[in-house]
């Protein structure tokens, strides 16, 4: 070989020697290292694994109760936050926990992860964290003369991102593809992430020194934002009694498997949504864009995520159809972190939450309101009776 000319890696490697860790779904026709995504011989992606079967209603209720019970044994006085975290998981979303230090943001994320028998990774976001630390990197192994892909911390079912706004915008953007498409692309090769996949990120909105605020594109990928808030007096007294010697987190064990969570997600996907509920959801989104108090309204992506969260809320309530109250109950958590106030509205003391509440009170529900036909079984998609009466949304 003439070493005085430029030699590509393909020429230097023996014939048919390539990456030992092929991208997910790649077949004999894939071209490792040439920038081609994982595909079969004709350039089309191979079909993924079969979708899990939905759970029966009783099994779904029992599994959700086990998860919530386990979380509430660790997080005192925050049952609503625990329920919303489970709602986001079942709606295939991502969760942003934003509040002052010491109120249990990371503890909630770790507890949710521990209740599920799945892979969990934690990323401590710091200013020197690199995108490759998150997604992974291809390394040339001189001993084997092959490129090896080393997966990053994002290759897990539940990824806990602690203090996400401590990392640079470049590192934060490494999560964009992971959160939206559930895959990682490195050196032109796409690697699918395991399902279920959820990012639970925390950040402190008070201390801004040395932080990098999340851009709107990043915030929009989080389905919901939770502000934990301080516990009440009784909950703090209970915490002093139970958290002194050891953390209750040490006693938490998995109560469901990853496959069971996948079946619960499949159940949520089968929840019925009527035309009027869809119209009501779109009306809420358009009202935020037309509001004089906002510089930026809710995106079309937020409408999809609002509806998914409403479906998960309905499933947790034991129904296989969505009511307007399901949309209203999650609207503030799903929409408030996506909108930007006008300066005049901000100067008068308005908050994103107050604007969302005002829009919920103003936008009417359609006459056929809660188009909720009763069904023969959860997830079978076949209505069996007329629509039930509508429920009025509350502000």
């Amino acid at each position: 070989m003439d070493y005085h000319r430029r030699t590509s890696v393909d020429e230097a490697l023996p014939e048919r020697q390539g990456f030992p860790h092929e991208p997910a779904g790649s077949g004999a026709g894939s071209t490792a290292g040439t920038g081609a995504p994982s595909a079969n011989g004709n350039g089309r992606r191979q079909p993924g694994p079969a979708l899990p079967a939905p759970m029966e209603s009783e099994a779904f209720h029992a599994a959700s109760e086990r998860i919530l019970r386990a979380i509430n044994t660790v997080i005192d006085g925050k049952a609503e936050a625990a329920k919303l975290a489970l709602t986001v998981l079942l709606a295939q979303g991502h969760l942003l926990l934003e509040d002052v230090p010491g109120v249990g943001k990371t503890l909630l994320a770790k507890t949710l992860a521990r209740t599920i028998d799945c892979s969990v990774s934690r990323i401590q976001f710091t200013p020197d964290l690199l995108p490759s630390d998150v997604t992974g990197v291809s390394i040339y192994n001189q001993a084997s003369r092959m490129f090896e892909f080393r997966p990053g911390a994002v290759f897990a079912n539940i990824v806990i991102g602690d203090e996400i706004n401590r990392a640079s915008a470049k590192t934060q953007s490494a999560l964009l593809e992971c959160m939206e498409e559930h895959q990682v692309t490195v050196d032109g090769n796409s690697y699918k992430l395991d399902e279920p996949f959820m990012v639970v990120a925390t950040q402190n909105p008070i201390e801004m020194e040395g932080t990098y605020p999340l851009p709107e594109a990043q915030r929009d990928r989080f389905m919901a934002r939770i502000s934990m808030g301080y516990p009440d007096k009784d909950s703090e007294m209970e915490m002093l009694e139970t958290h002194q010697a050891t953390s209750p987190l040490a006693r938490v064990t998995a109560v469901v498997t990853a496959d069971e969570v996948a079946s619960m997600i499949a159940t949520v996907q089968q929840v019925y949504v009527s035309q009027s509920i869809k119209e009501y959801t779109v009306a809420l989104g358009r009202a935020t864009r037309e509001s004089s108090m906002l510089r930026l309204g809710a995106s079309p992506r937020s409408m999809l995520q609002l509806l998914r969260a409403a479906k998960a809320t309905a499933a947790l309530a034991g129904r296989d159809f969505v009511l307007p109250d399901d949309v209203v109950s999650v609207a503030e958590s799903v929409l408030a972190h996506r909108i930007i106030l006008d300066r005049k509205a901000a100067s008068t003391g308005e908050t994103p939450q107050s604007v969302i509440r005002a829009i919920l009170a103003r936008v009417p529900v359609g006459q056929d309101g809660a188009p909720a036909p009763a069904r023969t079984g959860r997830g079978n998609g076949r209505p069996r009776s007329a629509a039930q009466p509508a429920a009025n949304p509350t502000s």
Side-chain angles (χ1 to χ4, degrees), residues 41-373:
N42 57 11
R44 298 179 180 176
R45 288 186 178 274
Q46 293 181 347
L51 296 177
M55 269 188 176
E56 293 295 330
S57 177
E58 295 78 8
F60 182 94
H61 176 73
S64 60
E65 283 298 317
R66 290 198 302 270
I67 296 174
L68 292 176
R69 193 181 307 114
I71 296 176
N72 290 330
T73 59
V74 178
I75 309 295
D76 296 313
K78 295 299 176 183
E80 288 300 318
K83 184 177 179 181
L84 184 55
L86 178 59
T87 299
V88 173
L89 172 64
L90 299 182
Q92 292 182 290
H94 308 287
L95 184 63
L96 180 62
L97 301 172
E98 183 178 279
D99 216 321
V100 297
V103 294
K105 301 186 299 295
T106 305
L107 186 61
L108 174 59
K110 293 169 64 177
T111 305
L112 175 64
R114 189 164 291 190
T115 60
I116 305 170
D117 185 14
C118 64
S119 58
V120 180
S121 68
R122 177 175 176 176
I123 307 174
Q124 188 66 49
F125 281 84
T126 57
D128 60 344
L129 190 71
L130 297 176
S132 57
D133 297 328
V134 177
T135 60
V137 63
S138 295
I139 300 176
Y140 182 66
N141 189 329
Q142 293 187 358
S144 63
R145 304 182 68 193
M146 293 189 297
F147 282 95
E148 298 177 355
F149 176 68
R150 304 290 177 88
V154 79
F155 283 83
N157 293 115
I158 296 181
V159 178
I160 302 174
D162 202 12
E163 298 288 352
I164 189 173
N165 57 337
R166 294 284 179 186
S168 65
K170 179 176 66 174
T171 303
Q172 292 174 7
S173 64
L175 287 172
L176 293 177
E177 182 186 13
C178 309
M179 296 173 67
E180 182 66 18
E181 303 177 38
H182 292 196
Q183 69 176 22
V184 171
T185 301
V186 177
D187 295 334
N189 293 293
S190 295
Y191 303 85
K192 297 297 291 184
L193 299 173
D194 292 335
E195 299 289 349
F197 174 71
M198 180 184 186
V199 174
V200 184
T202 70
Q203 69 172 0
N204 176 10
I206 304 301
E207 184 183 0
M208 292 301 176
E209 184 176 353
T211 62
Y212 303 83
L214 292 176
E216 293 309 314
Q218 185 79 53
R219 295 172 70 90
D220 197 51
R221 280 169 167 78
F222 285 100
M223 174 173 285
R225 180 185 64 181
I226 296 178
S227 293
M228 298 288 292
Y230 292 108
D232 56 30
K233 179 182 176 180
D234 292 338
S235 298
E236 283 196 281
M237 292 295 295
E238 180 69 19
M239 180 189 68
L240 295 180
E241 291 290 336
T242 59
H243 291 223
Q244 286 189 62
T246 59
S247 172
L249 183 63
R251 299 189 294 271
V252 174
T253 58
V255 294
V256 294
T257 64
D259 290 339
E260 288 177 316
V261 172
S263 294
M264 295 175 73
I265 291 173
T267 302
V268 170
Q269 291 174 343
Q270 297 297 321
V271 171
Y272 175 77
V273 182
S274 71
Q275 185 66 23
S276 64
I277 293 292
K278 296 175 185 176
E279 292 174 354
Y280 177 56
T281 304
V282 171
L284 291 176
R286 296 184 67 85
T288 64
R289 299 167 204 154
E290 298 168 359
S291 174
S292 60
M293 293 187 291
L294 300 178
R295 289 194 293 119
L296 178 67
S299 66
R301 181 194 286 121
S302 67
M303 297 298 96
L304 283 171
Q305 298 195 350
L306 177 59
L307 200 58
R308 291 171 184 167
K311 291 171 67 174
T313 302
L316 289 173
R319 286 180 277 104
D320 58 357
F321 54 85
V322 176
L323 294 174
D325 284 344
D326 299 323
V327 179
V328 172
S329 65
V330 295
E332 188 175 321
S333 298
V334 173
L335 300 179
H337 66 288
R338 306 170 189 269
I339 61 178
I340 300 179
L341 289 176
D342 182 78
R343 291 184 178 179
K344 183 181 294 186
S347 65
T348 59
E350 294 287 349
T351 63
Q353 291 82 357
S354 66
V355 173
I356 294 300
R357 287 194 291 267
I359 290 175
L360 289 171
R362 186 174 71 249
V363 175
V365 182
Q367 292 300 318
D368 53 344

